[in-house]
Amino acid sequence: MIESQKYAIVDIETTGHSPATGDRMIQIAIVIMKDWSIVKKYSTFIHPGKPIPLFIQDLTNITDEDVKEALPFEAYAHTIYELLHDVIFVAHNTDFDLSFLQAEFKRAGLPKWHGKKIDTVELAKILFPMSLSYKLADLASDLNIPLQSAHRADDDALATAFLLKECWEELLTLPLVTLEQLHKRSFRLKTNLAQLFFDALVIKRNKALTDEAHIYFHKIAIRKMAPTRKDNDETVVYPQTTEQKLALLLKGIPNFEERPQQFQMMDSIWEALNYKEEHVIEASTGIGKTMGYLVPSIFYAKKTNQKIGISTYTSHLLDQLMQNEIPVLEQALGQPIKIALLKGMNHYIDIEKFEKQLKTLDDSYDETFTVLQTLIWLAKTETGDLSELNVSGGGQLLLDKIRKTELPKTTMPLYDFYSRAIQNSRQADIIVTNHAMLLSDLVRNEQIFDSLGGWIIDEAHQFIQAAINQDEKIFTYMNWKYLFGQIGLNEDEQLFHKVRRVALKKQLLNSQTLDQLEKRYIQMVHAFDTAIAALIREVKAFDKRQQKQLQKIALFITDLELAHEVFLKVSLSVQQWIDDATSLIKQFTSGVEELAPEHEHLIGQWQYIVNEFTIKLAEWDEVFLQQDANYSCWLELDRRSVPGSIQLYKKPIDVTSTIGKLFSPIREKAAIVWTSGTLTVPSNERFITNQLGIHASIPIEKLHADPGYYDGAEVYIVNDMPDVQAVSQSEYIEEVAHAVTNAVRMTDGRCFVLFTSQDMLRKTVDLIHESELLNEYMIFAQGVTSGSRMRLLKSFQKFKHSVLFGTNSFWEGVDVPGDGLAAVIVVRLPFSSPEEPSFKARASYISQQGRNSFTELALPEAIIRFKQGFGRLIRSSHDKGVFIVLDRRIETKSYGQQFIESLPPISIQKLPLHSMVQSLQNWYNDKR
């Protein structure tokens, strides 16, 4: 019989993060749970002895008024201490809650609390490895746990208690072998999860149930492949009329609103698929583009028994398709849609590599943690796509070691997820993939793509960037140095030392062979260091010639006078090391019948390093030794960290021929439909289609939402901003900061402020912080606030009064529906910097052909980005928002009108700043 555990689930709210600098508690809640039932609740406000900061009030909804009658912590200390007697302490981030509480106990003269602890963040990360976020509110939403007011201690503690119980119930669903593996490795975790895992293990062993849901590879439980869904025998007929389309979609979407342009898009694609034609559709926000191409694609696939391929740019769009639109259409059709998500091989896990990884016992915390996440994920995942896993930075290193890199040597085993994906795609109606997969795998002409009846290329304007990225080569100094460090000399006790020790002990290799390999390593590192030193000398010589002393340098390799033989020597010495290192593997493995598991893992690590150097060598040759007129190659470094900051990029200048090679065979036998919200610009309608290699005879069908869709939008052009070339940068930034603070205050925040320069963004944010005019707002700034783009966006959405300052990547692909976004402020028209190397190379290429690089590249690219920026604002017919342009060039330059013409037909007002602020205030008050 398992002894019942007693848990105290604790949450606190505070004035800040550091009790040492005077931060204090403002609320505490404790939920006592025994036998997985709540037996007691305790909650109280606490007076912090000082005003609660405004941003904490915004976060917690706890005001100075709420704590006015409360007492200081000392008055409650003994009660709280007693409640925590003889319990397991549980919190969602114990490092914060428990350490803060310990500091308060100490201040109140009480002894340090001792006992076991469980962190539900650590626990949830292991048990729900596919969750996008481990914030309490996000987990509560995912798991249907009630959470009335996030960041209120009473509600948070209760939600954490339910989360703990949910985790326990999840443990009991896991296969026995998975629980055994969890328990075996759990002693390396930061909190006391081992007992929890053991309790679940005992229950599971006593039940001794048969497991029908998994297959097993050694001691790894893997979810069985789902059986292929059967079509019902009903034939489906494409809905030709408006009434038929309405009747169909109302079955899946009860409140579906008819949009004539969406129905027109369906008919255009239906016709293109049937006649195997190429077609281009610009479908603006508001017409329902995704459903517009899905309906005809599915009907065509079912009618002809030919697959349709759908390619999108981002994984976000792939997920949206699979989770939102497909289930709706299945309900409307009344039958399953067989859909396969297919990605490149290295997206999938290699189970055999992972099984070898399990045999090693010298893992770091990050690796141990990621192993546990992966074991649980394998019992659940249907795809085996490693991108489903939400792991730490250190965990990513482990995932890179267990990626699939080659096909099975014999049959496709049942546990192989890449084989499953191929099998699924052979039986599918629709194959969903991304542009990168199309570009890399279609070239190989895998059998699966031969029978496709047509392709829908969504976000078609991004296909150009995907083609550039696909052919991009990057050299980074730090990557090479990291790999050198992994190998090391014998005295360094790294991988070479370990391999040498085993090889000599088992008499698999003699010392002369190993000494020769070490000598090759020394030669390789020396040649590399010599080449890098030569590169740095050339950069300094170039600087001297240019008389420039910039902190960050970006310059073309063609500007440098590099000695070819120095870089060739690196290539030759690396190849010699690879040859000898590969020979070592052969001698090591042929010397014995079967390697011990730990030795097999060691050779696996060695093989991984050899493979990495093989890739690095190809990159080195392409960057330093191969000249190609269709590529630009440039170097970037920061003077403050040389050589560590050295990076080299090699990108294609023109990808039209690459895209052409890909689609030429498809054009001969299947339809291709290109679609996007932004495919044209005024006065250069075929800017995108020309780069995609689409023949000039193929028209662009433009489908735009009804003007009423944009009734909630206003555009303001501030016409008294200074000319950036007529004033100093600091004066201009002062004016920008003044305009932004005014606009933010008038709309209560919820603004995107879009820049084209990271430097200007940083200086503007610094000035706003100094002014303290937006102190009551949460400010998130790309490149200033830590975190990825999606993390910044999520943080922005969590606060009522927040402002997000962003550069290039926030101009498109970011959705903030509804009231989450009130204003988009464009600081500068989004022209690429003329000194940005990739842009500079493409502009130079156009100029050399006697064409105008401004009208043919700079202007249309900027307009596309501008249209995308506006697209962030209105995501549905109910959205309301203002689009504010601070760049006076939109009014003073001849090309400015093209930016205005690129916007939907909506109200545009040109006003001085003070009038704009007044108008904005009136607009916002009316909206409320």
Side-chain angles (χ1 to χ4, degrees):
M1 183 73 183
I2 300 169
E3 185 186 342
S4 180
Q5 306 292 336
K6 185 176 171 187
Y7 300 99
I9 298 96
V10 180
D11 191 81
I12 63 174
E13 303 301 338
T14 65
T15 60
H17 283 87
S18 174
T21 57
D23 284 321
R24 293 289 175 261
M25 237 181 261
I26 54 176
Q27 190 187 21
I28 186 168
I30 302 171
V31 174
I32 304 294
M33 185 178 259
K34 188 163 183 172
D35 295 324
W36 303 109
S37 295
I38 292 167
V39 294
K40 187 180 178 84
K41 292 181 192 174
Y42 172 84
S43 174
T44 183
F45 285 121
I46 295 169
H47 200 290
K50 63 177 187 176
I52 300 171
L54 284 172
F55 79 93
I56 293 291
Q57 292 189 37
D58 190 23
L59 179 69
T60 63
N61 280 322
I62 298 173
T63 64
D64 291 327
E65 185 65 26
D66 290 322
V67 300
K68 189 172 69 175
E69 304 297 327
L71 300 171
F73 179 80
E74 291 84 341
Y76 309 101
H78 283 87
T79 303
I80 293 166
Y81 200 86
E82 277 302 308
L83 283 168
L84 298 181
H85 176 66
D86 202 22
V87 298
I88 296 173
F89 184 98
V90 181
H92 202 67
N93 185 3
T94 51
D95 281 353
F96 174 72
D97 293 79
L98 184 54
S99 62
F100 206 107
L101 202 49
Q102 297 280 34
E104 290 288 70
F105 284 150
K106 185 178 181 182
R107 208 169 52 79
L110 289 169
K112 186 176 181 180
W113 179 86
H114 290 282
K116 290 182 178 177
K117 60 181 181 177
I118 285 178
D119 186 349
T120 50
V121 176
E122 186 176 47
L123 181 59
K125 280 183 174 180
I126 293 169
L127 290 175
F128 304 107
M130 293 186 270
S131 289
L132 293 174
S133 163
Y134 295 101
K135 289 183 176 172
L136 183 61
D138 295 331
L139 283 168
S141 174
D142 289 348
L143 299 168
N144 295 317
I145 292 170
L147 178 55
Q148 208 162 0
S149 301
H151 300 291
R152 288 291 288 253
D154 43 359
D155 286 340
D156 280 357
L158 194 56
T160 305
F162 289 135
L163 173 61
L164 179 67
K165 186 179 180 182
E166 194 77 34
C167 288
W168 169 251
E169 288 168 356
E170 185 68 17
L171 271 172
L172 296 178
T173 69
L174 295 174
L176 179 61
V177 294
T178 307
L179 279 171
E180 285 171 346
Q181 294 270 21
L182 281 185
H183 181 247
K184 178 182 169 184
R185 286 174 159 77
S186 60
F187 298 97
R188 301 179 195 176
L189 297 173
K190 289 176 181 174
T191 60
N192 304 101
L193 302 183
Q195 184 65 49
L196 199 65
F197 294 163
F198 181 72
D199 291 349
L201 186 57
V202 170
I203 289 171
K204 201 79 177 179
R205 278 177 177 157
N206 290 340
K207 285 187 176 175
L209 299 170
T210 56
D211 183 3
E212 300 291 336
H214 299 90
I215 57 171
Y216 291 85
F217 180 76
H218 297 271
K219 289 218 165 184
I220 303 170
I222 301 157
R223 181 169 170 166
K224 276 184 182 173
M225 186 174 177
T228 304
R229 301 167 76 187
K230 297 270 191 297
D231 281 337
N232 53 28
D233 294 330
E234 288 178 43
T235 53
V236 294
V237 180
Y238 177 72
Q240 298 281 357
T241 66
T242 297
E243 290 73 21
Q244 287 168 340
K245 290 184 183 73
L246 265 175
L248 171 79
L249 291 165
L250 280 166
K251 289 180 193 170
I253 311 167
N255 56 349
F256 178 78
E257 294 175 16
E258 180 190 344
R259 287 172 278 188
Q261 300 89 343
Q262 186 184 51
F263 290 177
Q264 188 180 331
M265 183 176 182
M266 290 177 188
D267 290 341
S268 293
I269 293 175
W270 176 250
E271 189 174 319
L273 291 171
N274 278 284
Y275 289 100
K276 301 194 181 302
E277 293 174 341
E278 190 161 7
H279 197 62
V280 181
I281 303 175
E282 181 176 65
S284 73
T285 308
I287 76 158
K289 169 168 59 81
T290 308
M291 201 64 83
Y293 62 67
L294 269 178
V295 168
S297 296
I298 288 161
F299 275 91
Y300 182 81
K302 288 191 175 290
K303 171 193 157 188
T304 62
N305 212 21
Q306 283 188 300
K307 302 169 191 19
I308 296 295
I310 295 172
S311 180
T312 69
Y313 185 55
T314 62
S315 56
H316 170 70
L317 287 167
L318 293 179
D319 294 340
Q320 188 178 304
L321 268 173
M322 303 296 281
Q323 292 166 18
N324 301 342
E325 280 82 4
I326 295 294
V328 162
L329 279 175
E330 286 187 323
Q331 191 172 334
L333 281 169
Q335 62 172 282
I337 297 165
K338 290 183 286 187
I339 190 158
L341 187 61
L342 192 57
K343 296 184 178 181
M345 190 190 296
N346 70 341
H347 284 269
Y348 299 90
I349 187 170
D350 186 317
I351 298 291
E352 293 177 12
K353 285 183 184 176
F354 180 60
E355 194 269 335
K356 286 175 185 172
Q357 186 68 35
L358 287 179
K359 292 174 180 173
T360 180
L361 296 174
D362 58 349
D363 298 330
S364 65
Y365 172 79
D366 277 356
E367 284 204 344
T368 297
F369 198 85
T370 307
V371 162
L372 297 184
Q373 287 183 298
T374 307
L375 283 163
I376 286 176
W377 170 72
L378 282 170
K380 299 178 181 183
T381 179
E382 294 180 13
T383 68
D385 178 357
L386 287 164
S387 65
E388 290 178 347
L389 277 164
N390 185 352
V391 302
S392 66
Q396 283 295 343
L397 295 173
L398 174 77
L399 297 195
D400 287 341
K401 292 178 185 175
I402 60 173
R403 290 186 186 281
K404 188 128 193 99
T405 51
E406 56 186 355
L407 288 167
K409 291 178 177 62
T410 51
T411 56
M412 300 280 203
L414 285 172
Y415 58 78
D416 186 77
F417 283 100
Y418 182 65
S419 306
R420 288 187 188 185
I422 296 291
Q423 189 176 329
N424 276 337
S425 59
R426 289 203 176 102
Q427 297 164 345
D429 301 318
I430 304 287
I431 296 174
V432 180
T433 189
N434 55 28
H435 298 345
M437 171 71 176
L438 236 181
L439 282 153
S440 60
D441 281 25
L442 256 184
V443 180
R444 296 210 306 263
N445 200 19
E446 290 190 21
Q447 213 174 4
I448 185 61
F449 292 123
D450 281 354
S451 58
L452 261 64
W455 278 98
I456 310 292
I457 311 298
D458 193 6
E459 299 300 305
H461 69 287
Q462 290 286 18
F463 206 89
I464 300 154
Q465 191 58 49
I468 290 170
N469 293 345
Q470 192 74 16
D471 215 2
E472 179 184 48
K473 301 292 180 291
I474 302 174
F475 161 85
T476 67
Y477 174 85
M478 291 306 291
N479 276 356
W480 279 70
K481 277 296 179 184
Y482 172 78
L483 284 175
F484 289 145
Q486 292 290 296
I487 301 166
L489 295 166
N490 186 38
E491 65 196 41
D492 297 328
E493 300 194 1
Q494 290 298 320
L495 189 55
F496 174 71
H497 168 82
K498 293 174 186 175
V499 170
R500 180 189 173 98
R501 188 179 61 204
V502 172
L504 290 174
K505 185 180 178 183
K506 299 288 181 184
Q507 298 183 331
L508 299 171
L509 289 141
N510 60 44
S511 58
Q512 289 89 341
T513 303
L514 292 160
D515 290 344
Q516 175 66 21
L517 183 58
E518 188 170 32
K519 186 180 171 186
R520 291 282 193 220
Y521 170 80
I522 293 166
Q523 289 169 345
M524 172 172 73
V525 174
H526 178 70
F528 177 81
D529 289 342
T530 303
I532 295 301
L535 186 67
I536 293 166
R537 278 197 305 274
E538 263 309 303
V539 171
K540 288 177 179 174
F542 176 81
D543 272 2
K544 204 171 180 181
R545 292 195 295 273
Q546 298 291 309
Q547 296 183 330
K548 285 183 180 176
Q549 278 294 313
L550 298 173
Q551 204 167 69
K552 291 187 176 178
I553 297 170
L555 53 90
F556 290 105
I557 290 294
T558 49
D559 293 334
L560 303 175
E561 296 170 9
L562 299 177
H564 184 267
E565 61 276 7
V566 175
F567 295 88
L568 179 61
K569 192 168 183 180
V570 176
S571 183
L572 295 172
S573 63
V574 172
Q575 187 59 60
Q576 285 174 330
W577 181 86
I578 289 171
D579 292 342
D580 285 3
T582 305
S583 175
L584 178 146
I585 295 168
K586 287 176 184 168
Q587 291 179 64
F588 204 105
T589 51
S590 63
V592 286
E593 282 183 21
E594 189 178 353
L595 286 172
E598 64 271 22
H599 299 158
E600 195 175 342
H601 177 69
L602 196 61
I603 284 301
Q605 288 181 297
W606 186 261
Q607 182 68 65
Y608 173 76
I609 294 290
V610 173
N611 292 344
E612 284 295 296
F613 264 111
T614 306
I615 295 164
K616 290 279 172 282
L617 176 58
E619 288 171 2
W620 180 275
D621 288 353
E622 290 212 31
V623 170
F624 288 108
L625 301 176
Q626 295 167 12
Q627 301 301 318
D628 188 330
N630 191 41
Y631 283 80
S632 59
C633 187
W634 70 93
L635 172 145
E636 292 182 7
L637 62 82
D638 187 324
R639 287 183 186 284
R640 293 167 296 185
S641 55
V642 176
S645 62
I646 292 175
Q647 298 188 91
L648 275 96
Y649 299 84
K650 186 173 182 178
K651 289 189 181 184
I653 295 168
D654 181 17
V655 291
T656 307
S657 60
T658 305
I659 296 170
K661 281 177 197 166
L662 179 64
F663 284 100
S664 285
I666 299 172
R667 286 187 172 107
E668 291 171 11
K669 57 189 177 184
I672 304 170
V673 176
W674 306 85
T675 184
S676 170
T678 46
L679 276 175
T680 65
V681 297
S683 81
N684 193 347
E685 193 171 75
R686 303 197 71 85
F687 172 64
I688 297 289
T689 55
N690 286 343
Q691 292 179 78
L692 291 170
I694 298 168
H695 198 273
S697 63
I698 295 169
I700 299 169
E701 183 176 9
K702 296 180 188 177
L703 299 174
H704 298 304
D706 291 330
Y709 181 81
Y710 298 103
D711 281 351
E714 293 270 349
V715 176
Y716 294 117
I717 294 171
V718 181
N719 59 13
D720 63 345
M721 289 294 288
D723 182 341
V724 72
Q725 292 175 326
V727 296
S728 68
Q729 191 196 45
S730 60
E731 285 178 273
Y732 188 77
I733 287 169
E734 277 182 31
E735 291 294 334
V736 168
H738 178 57
V740 168
T741 50
N742 273 286
V744 167
R745 292 168 77 86
M746 286 304 106
T747 57
D748 271 356
R750 293 177 301 111
C751 294
F752 274 4
V753 188
L754 299 179
F755 290 77
T756 57
S757 154
Q758 183 65 45
D759 181 58
M760 187 179 282
L761 179 153
R762 186 182 295 275
K763 286 173 178 170
T764 305
V765 170
D766 286 348
L767 192 59
I768 287 171
H769 278 312
E770 282 173 28
S771 74
E772 300 187 355
L773 288 171
L774 296 182
N775 268 11
E776 65 268 40
Y777 294 86
M778 293 297 289
I779 290 178
F780 303 98
Q782 194 176 9
V784 178
T785 313
S786 62
S788 65
R789 182 179 77 146
M790 292 316 290
R791 181 169 288 183
L792 289 180
L793 185 66
K794 281 185 176 178
S795 301
F796 167 80
Q797 289 175 286
K798 283 196 182 301
F799 292 89
K800 292 175 190 168
H801 307 294
S802 59
V803 191
L804 197 154
F805 293 78
T807 55
N808 293 346
S809 62
F810 276 97
W811 285 84
E812 66 173 302
V814 174
D815 277 359
V816 186
D819 291 338
L821 188 62
V824 171
I825 303 171
V826 173
V827 173
R828 300 281 286 152
L829 294 176
F831 286 102
S832 295
S833 164
E835 293 305 309
E836 194 277 314
S838 182
F839 174 82
K840 193 174 182 178
R842 287 184 295 145
S844 174
Y845 175 77
I846 291 169
S847 299
Q848 285 165 14
Q849 296 176 331
R851 293 149 55 202
N852 186 321
S853 63
F854 179 77
T855 57
E856 292 195 31
L857 179 64
L859 181 60
E861 271 196 351
I863 292 172
I864 291 278
R865 218 171 278 141
F866 185 75
K867 286 172 73 174
Q868 290 280 352
F870 176 80
R872 301 313 95 221
L873 191 64
I874 303 296
R875 307 303 292 172
S876 81
S877 58
H878 307 295
D879 282 1
K880 298 185 184 304
V882 290
F883 192 64
I884 301 167
V885 183
L886 301 181
D887 192 335
R888 63 183 295 178
R889 289 178 295 177
I890 200 166
E891 192 184 27
T892 60
K893 298 290 186 183
S894 57
Y895 57 72
Q897 189 58 29
Q898 291 191 48
F899 284 92
I900 293 170
E901 287 171 14
S902 73
L903 296 173
I906 52 178
S907 163
I908 295 175
Q909 298 182 55
K910 299 176 182 180
L911 302 165
L913 180 63
H914 69 91
S915 302
M916 187 276 286
V917 170
Q918 187 59 52
S919 183
L920 193 57
Q921 185 175 26
N922 295 339
W923 171 85
Y924 189 66
N925 287 336
D926 288 346
K927 186 170 77 73
R928 286 197 290 191

